[in-house]
């Protein structure tokens, strides 16, 4: 299938509406959901599955020739298993509830994240935060917006003036690597935050609230929407070693661009 860039506004509008519907499901399930563990401390709720169902039905109803990759359908797969075939149809990459632990504990830092992948890049990104009533939206070549107003990354020039964010996996053994990175980064950055939502971390980089973000254990549905947002807001994305960004590998550095080289250097020192 040949991708038609002229349809990007239609795809973006559909993603915004799908995210709104998914967020409505999340808010409707608050206080009455059941929770189970996919693995230790890796939670899934009735709300995750309900949100993904309505998002998928809406998007594939609008675009039946597209494909869909959702977090709740990819359990047990490796990162490479989730990579779409080259030259295939556009793929909607969705996290129906990013920040599940926050949601379970009624911490208002969770969202619906919807990205569209085609031609080897993220071309649409929408992140809907229902508790803050914020919708971050971007399409390739159309810029990034927050509730309809344009956003840009910050102009902070270095780590010394930077507020950074990061994320930790549920797997305790895998957390140790990032604890070392946190320790190293803390010696250089003004401050570091851990929100519990990768998608919101990246949205905040795009909006200039955070100056950079790094993590070692993301999945495509965590970062796809945010990748489009950061790019369209003027930021920089790479792997943590500085090589080109690939949403289907687990590590990522996303920044305002100005302090990117310094952040990568510290991560690899």
């Amino acid at each position: 299938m040949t991708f038609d860039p002229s349809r990007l506004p239609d795809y973006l509008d559909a993603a915004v509406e799908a995210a709104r519907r998914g967020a409505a499901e999340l808010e409707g399930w608050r206080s009455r959901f059941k929770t189970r563990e996919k693995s230790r401390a890796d939670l899934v709720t009735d709300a995750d599955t309900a949100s993904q169902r309505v998002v998928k039905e809406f998007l594939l109803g609008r675009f039946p020739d597209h494909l869909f990759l959702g977090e709740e359908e990819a359990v047990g797969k490796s990162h490479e298993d989730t990579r779409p075939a080259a030259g295939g149809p556009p793929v909607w990459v969705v996290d129906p509830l990013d920040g599940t632990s926050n949601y379970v504990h009624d911490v208002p830092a969770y969202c619906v994240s919807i990205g569209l992948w085609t031609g080897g890049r993220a071309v649409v990104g929408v992140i809907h935060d229902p508790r803050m009533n914020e919708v971050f939206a971007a399409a390739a070549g159309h810029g990034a917006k927050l509730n309809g107003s344009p956003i840009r990354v910050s102009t902070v020039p270095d780590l010394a003036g930077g507020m950074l964010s990061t994320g930790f996996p549920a797997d305790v053994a895998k957390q140790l690597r990032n604890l070392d990175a946190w320790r190293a980064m803390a010696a250089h950055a003004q401050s570091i935050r851990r929100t519990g939502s990768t998608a919101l971390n990246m949205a905040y980089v795009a909006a200039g609230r955070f100056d950079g973000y790094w993590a070692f254990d993301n999945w495509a549905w965590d970062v796809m929407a945010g990748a489009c947002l950061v790019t369209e807001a003027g930021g920089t994305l790479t792997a943590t070693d500085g090589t080109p960004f690939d949403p289907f590998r687990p590590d990522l550095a996303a920044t305002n661009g100005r302090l990117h080289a310094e952040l990568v250097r510290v991560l690899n020192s």
Side-chain angles (χ1 to χ4, degrees):
M1 175 183 177
T2 302
F3 175 65
D4 181 1
S6 70
R7 298 203 65 189
L8 275 174
D10 293 337
Y11 297 151
L12 180 59
D13 287 346
V16 169
E17 175 60 19
R20 184 195 68 79
R21 294 183 180 210
E25 286 291 321
L26 298 184
E27 297 309 276
W29 277 98
R30 280 178 58 201
S31 79
R32 65 185 182 93
F33 59 83
K34 295 180 180 178
T35 305
R36 64 179 174 83
E37 286 190 328
K38 289 183 282 189
S39 58
R40 184 190 178 280
D42 191 6
L43 306 178
V44 63
T45 71
D46 299 316
D48 297 74
T49 53
S51 175
Q52 179 160 304
R53 183 179 64 253
V54 299
V55 169
K56 182 177 182 179
E57 288 176 354
F58 180 79
L59 290 174
L60 296 188
R62 284 280 300 270
F63 311 109
D65 52 347
H66 289 189
L67 301 179
F68 187 92
L69 172 63
E71 178 182 10
E72 303 313 318
E73 296 176 331
V75 176
K77 293 184 178 180
S78 70
H79 286 83
E80 194 59 33
D81 289 340
T82 66
R83 186 185 299 276
V91 182
W92 293 100
V93 183
V94 173
D95 192 337
L97 172 50
D98 188 63
T100 303
S101 292
N102 288 341
Y103 180 83
V104 167
H105 292 277
D106 200 30
V107 175
Y110 56 85
C111 62
V112 179
S113 178
I114 299 176
L116 182 62
W117 172 261
T118 188
R121 62 179 180 142
V123 298
V124 166
V126 172
I127 294 171
H128 189 316
D129 177 347
R131 295 290 287 273
M132 293 293 290
N133 193 29
E134 292 189 327
V135 180
F136 302 84
H142 293 259
K145 296 182 178 181
L146 167 55
N147 290 349
S149 297
I151 54 175
R152 296 290 292 177
V153 295
S154 74
T155 58
V156 172
D158 51 35
L159 291 181
M163 176 178 280
L164 308 179
S165 62
T166 188
F168 287 80
D171 186 322
V172 175
K174 291 183 178 180
Q175 292 180 9
L176 299 179
R177 179 184 183 186
N178 207 27
L179 287 171
D180 289 338
W182 181 297
R183 185 179 299 109
M185 201 65 70
H188 298 270
Q190 184 181 89
S191 57
I192 307 175
R193 298 290 182 267
R194 178 189 178 187
T195 68
S197 169
T198 293
L200 287 179
N201 287 336
M202 295 184 71
Y204 288 4
V205 171
R209 296 173 180 175
F210 290 156
D211 306 300
Y213 165 76
W214 86 88
F216 299 111
D217 292 279
N218 293 316
W219 291 83
W221 43 83
D222 297 319
V223 303
M224 191 66 71
C228 186
L229 281 159
V230 170
T231 300
E232 288 299 308
T236 298
L237 297 162
T238 66
T240 54
D241 61 3
T243 56
F245 168 68
D246 179 355
F248 299 97
R249 62 177 279 182
D251 60 307
L252 164 70
T255 75
N256 64 2
R258 295 174 180 239
L259 54 72
H260 196 89
E262 186 183 6
L263 182 143
V264 169
R265 178 182 59 78
V266 172
L267 287 177
N268 291 278
S269 57

